[in-house]
């Protein structure tokens, strides 16, 4: 398939000797030709994406009912894949759709996954489902938006895609129409999506499960495909596309300015220096005996996904994450060492007696007078040496202070303690001084927090 030729008007230099009106007319012609060329390219890409079912998604439908083991596997993948987190409206029927995914491009509404014939997946064939999961193309050729993480699901094994399909087909049908997406121009058009896919999406080859995978391979598969961790923990460009390697260097979350810290740096969210038991405990319970606690979007990830991991799969994920390269290796830094030194004495804003008083009044009862943490079973995390406190970008810490911090309720931590929000209690300057006091006390060495940083965090901006 060849790309459309550049229109002649685009290939010619601007005519000389034209008046102002003539130059404007000539520029309008060039812009119109450029738009036509882009539209033609998008149409060709759309045809290439949507036409025909890829061979690896074709397969004969079996008339035999799925086995109990297949349904059990499908149910497990739905949970670990966090499908309910998006495809269940607040207070709604599980997997009947309605959840919102807010992005810089607009709001996506997750559709109904129950087998209702009119509003769900009731009329989808197995080939339709495979094509959607691995290629991001719905029945009829409609391209799906990557808010549905087919960039990661394309690496799912065919056996697992089929198990997901059979499990979803086994659910009671619920009639609940999907709400339309609300997207800014031009993101709501199929031609713009086709251009995006042509630039950034390449489906993986279909793979069937063959034998039992080793722990590292099983962990890689769970992290990169099933739980799609790269969707949050990797940077995206201005058009929302992941890097080709889908590495885990950390990325900005699409809502409220939260950051998913790097899994390739033990000073951020990397677990290369943790014990395997601590990694498993965090994944399955949302906290560790050493004082680490999942909060913000990671608390949601534990609640909707990782708490369902079997012990074996949690250990496989831990093994994979601990084998990732560590950017802190060779620097002499520990997980709690600051990445940025404090300002020199007398330079910039520092904390004052008011910040110390606010810490004693609002924080010390739980986190300890010396930031050592405490509470029953170590329920309240220490602030001294806490890598979330010491990150060079204090955004997540500020959002925890403003919005409160809440660990997920799990079987291993059924009654988690939470931190109340201080958004209505303290002003921006007070929170900046308090955060600076915490970041520069008890051996902590991190940069001063500016009032403007708190203002931006309060507005949900990075």
């Amino acid at each position: 398939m060849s790309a459309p030729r550049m229109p002649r008007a685009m290939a010619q230099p601007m005519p000389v000797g034209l008046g102002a009106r003539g130059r404007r007319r000539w520029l309008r012609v060039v812009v119109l030709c450029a738009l036509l060329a882009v539209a033609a390219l998008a149409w060709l890409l759309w045809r290439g994406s949507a036409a025909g079912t890829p061979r690896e998604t074709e397969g004969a439908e079996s008339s035999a009912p799925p086995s109990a083991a297949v349904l059990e596997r499908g149910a497990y993948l739905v949970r670990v894949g966090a499908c309910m987190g998006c495809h269940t409206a607040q207070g709604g029927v599980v997997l009947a759709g309605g959840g919102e995914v807010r992005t810089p491009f607009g709001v996506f509404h997750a559709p109904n996954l129950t087998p209702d014939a009119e509003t769900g997946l009731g009329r989808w064939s197995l080939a339709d489902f495979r094509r959607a999961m691995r290629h991001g193309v719905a029945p009829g050729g409609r391209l799906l938006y990557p808010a549905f993480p087919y960039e990661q699901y394309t690496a799912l094994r065919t056996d697992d895609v089929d198990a997901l399909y059979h499990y979803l087909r086994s659910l009671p049908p619920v009639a609940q129409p999907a709400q339309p997406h609300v997207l800014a121009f031009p993101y709501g058009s199929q031609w713009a999506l086709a251009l995006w896919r042509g630039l950034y999406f390449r489906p993986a080859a279909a793979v069937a499960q063959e034998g039992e995978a080793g722990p590292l391979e099983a962990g890689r598969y769970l992290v990169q495909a099933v739980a799609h961790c790269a969707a949050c923990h990797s940077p995206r460009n201005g058009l929302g596309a992941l890097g080709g390697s889908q590495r885990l260097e950390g990325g900005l979350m699409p809502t409220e300015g939260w950051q998913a810290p790097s899994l390739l740096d033990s000073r951020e969210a990397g677990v290369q220096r943790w014990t395997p038991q601590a990694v498993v405990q965090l994944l399955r319970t949302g906290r560790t005996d050493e004082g680490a606690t999942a909060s913000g979007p990671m608390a949601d990830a534990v609640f909707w996904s990782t708490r369902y991991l079997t012990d074996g799969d949690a250990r496989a994920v831990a093994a994979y994450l601990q084998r990732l390269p560590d950017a802190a290796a060779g620097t002499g830094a520990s997980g709690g060492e600051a990445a940025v030194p404090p300002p020199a004495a007398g330079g910039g804003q520092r904390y004052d007696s008011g910040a110390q008083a606010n810490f004693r009044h609002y924080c010390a009862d739980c986190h300890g007078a010396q930031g050592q943490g405490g509470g029953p079973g170590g329920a309240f995390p220490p602030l001294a040496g806490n890598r979330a406190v010491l990150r060079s970008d204090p955004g997540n810490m500020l959002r925890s202070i403003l919005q409160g911090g809440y660990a997920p309720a799990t079987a291993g931590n059924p009654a988690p303690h939470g931190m109340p929000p201080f958004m209505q209690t303290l002003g921006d300057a007070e929170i900046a001084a308090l955060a600076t006091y915490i970041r520069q006390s008890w051996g902590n060495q991190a940069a001063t927090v500016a009032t403007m940083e708190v203002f931006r965090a309060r507005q949900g901006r990075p």
Side-chain angles (χ1 to χ4, degrees), residues 213-258:
L216 286 179
E217 175 56 28
R220 184 206 64 80
Y221 179 68
L222 288 162
V223 168
Q224 296 286 10
V226 180
H228 53 279
C229 303
C232 292
H233 283 279
S234 293
R236 295 179 182 269
N237 65 18
L239 293 177
L242 295 168
S245 61
Q246 292 195 7
R247 289 174 65 82
L248 302 166
E249 302 96 331
L252 181 66
M253 301 288 288
T255 59
E256 300 180 3
W258 282 92

Side-chain angles (χ1 to χ4, degrees), residues 54-55 75-76 83 117 139 179 185 265 275 282 291 335 339 367 374 379 395 415 426 462:
R55 288 185 60 186
Y76 178 70
C83 303
Q179 299 181 53
F185 179 82
D265 192 330
T275 66
L282 183 71
H367 294 287
L426 299 173

Side-chain angles (χ1 to χ4, degrees), residues 80-458:
V80 175
C83 303
M84 291 178 286
C86 290
H87 290 274
T88 304
Q90 187 172 5
V93 179
V94 173
L95 295 173
E100 289 187 352
V101 179
R102 295 186 174 272
T103 75
F105 312 104
V107 180
F108 295 90
H109 293 101
N112 186 349
L113 297 185
T114 73
D116 180 69
E118 300 299 327
T119 66
L121 304 182
R123 296 181 179 176
W124 285 42
S125 67
L126 177 57
D128 290 335
F129 189 77
R130 289 179 181 175
R131 192 179 185 208
M133 291 290 291
R134 302 196 59 261
H135 293 263
V137 180
R142 178 173 56 87
L143 304 181
L144 300 176
Y145 288 94
F148 170 63
Y150 56 81
E151 293 172 279
Q152 287 77 48
Y153 288 163
T154 189
L156 287 173
R157 295 189 290 261
T158 303
D159 316 62
D160 282 344
V161 174
D162 294 358
L164 283 163
Y165 173 79
H166 291 302
Y167 172 73
L168 294 174
R169 295 278 293 185
S170 73
L171 298 174
V174 178
Q176 181 166 299
Q179 299 181 53
H181 305 316
V182 182
L183 305 177
F185 179 82
Y187 308 116
S189 62
Q190 287 280 290
W191 64 265
L193 182 54
L195 277 176
W196 186 94
R197 289 167 56 97
L199 290 170
Y200 300 117
F201 176 61
R202 297 293 181 272
V207 176
Q209 184 172 359
E210 295 181 3
E212 193 71 23
L216 286 179
E217 175 56 28
R220 184 206 64 80
Y221 179 68
L222 288 162
V223 168
Q224 296 286 10
V226 180
H228 53 279
C229 303
C232 292
H233 283 279
S234 293
R236 295 179 182 269
N237 65 18
L239 293 177
L242 295 168
S245 61
Q246 292 195 7
R247 289 174 65 82
L248 302 166
E249 302 96 331
L252 181 66
M253 301 288 288
T255 59
E256 300 180 3
W258 282 92
Q259 297 166 4
S262 172
L263 295 173
L264 303 183
D265 192 330
S266 59
R267 293 164 297 188
E268 294 208 6
V271 295
Q272 293 87 343
R273 301 171 186 236
W274 287 27
T275 66
Q277 292 77 14
V279 182
V280 170
Q281 188 179 24
L282 183 71
L283 292 171
R284 299 187 70 189
T285 72
R287 63 174 299 275
T288 71
D289 293 335
E290 292 77 16
T293 302
S295 61
M298 188 60 202
D300 293 336
V302 172
F303 181 81
W304 290 113
S305 172
T306 63
R307 69 181 174 124
Y308 295 108
L309 287 167
T310 63
D311 186 66
D313 279 352
R315 291 186 179 280
V317 169
Y320 175 74
L321 293 177
Q322 293 194 294
R323 290 290 294 272
L324 293 173
D326 182 6
T331 66
S334 67
E337 188 168 337
V340 180
Q349 172 191 331
R350 292 182 65 85
Y351 60 84
D352 52 23
S353 59
Q356 292 175 298
N358 279 333
F359 179 82
R360 288 194 298 268
H361 182 70
Y362 295 113
C363 312
D365 284 350
C366 293
H367 294 287
Q370 300 301 314
Q372 75 273 21
F380 305 116
L383 301 178
N386 187 313
R387 60 185 184 177
V389 167
L390 296 173
R391 291 188 72 223
S392 57
D393 187 328
N396 286 357
M397 175 189 180
L398 295 178
R399 282 168 180 82
S400 294
I401 296 173
L402 288 164
Q403 301 171 14
Y406 302 94
T410 61
N413 190 25
H417 296 270
M419 185 177 83
F422 293 98
M423 182 178 291
Q424 305 298 329
T425 307
L426 299 173
D428 291 352
E430 292 176 300
I431 291 177
L434 174 62
T436 299
Y437 172 75
I438 294 171
R439 283 161 63 86
Q440 296 178 6
S441 298
W442 323 298
N444 287 347
Q445 298 182 47
T448 294
V449 177
T451 301
M452 181 55 69
E453 291 179 284
V454 183
F455 173 79
R456 293 177 66 88
R458 192 184 291 270

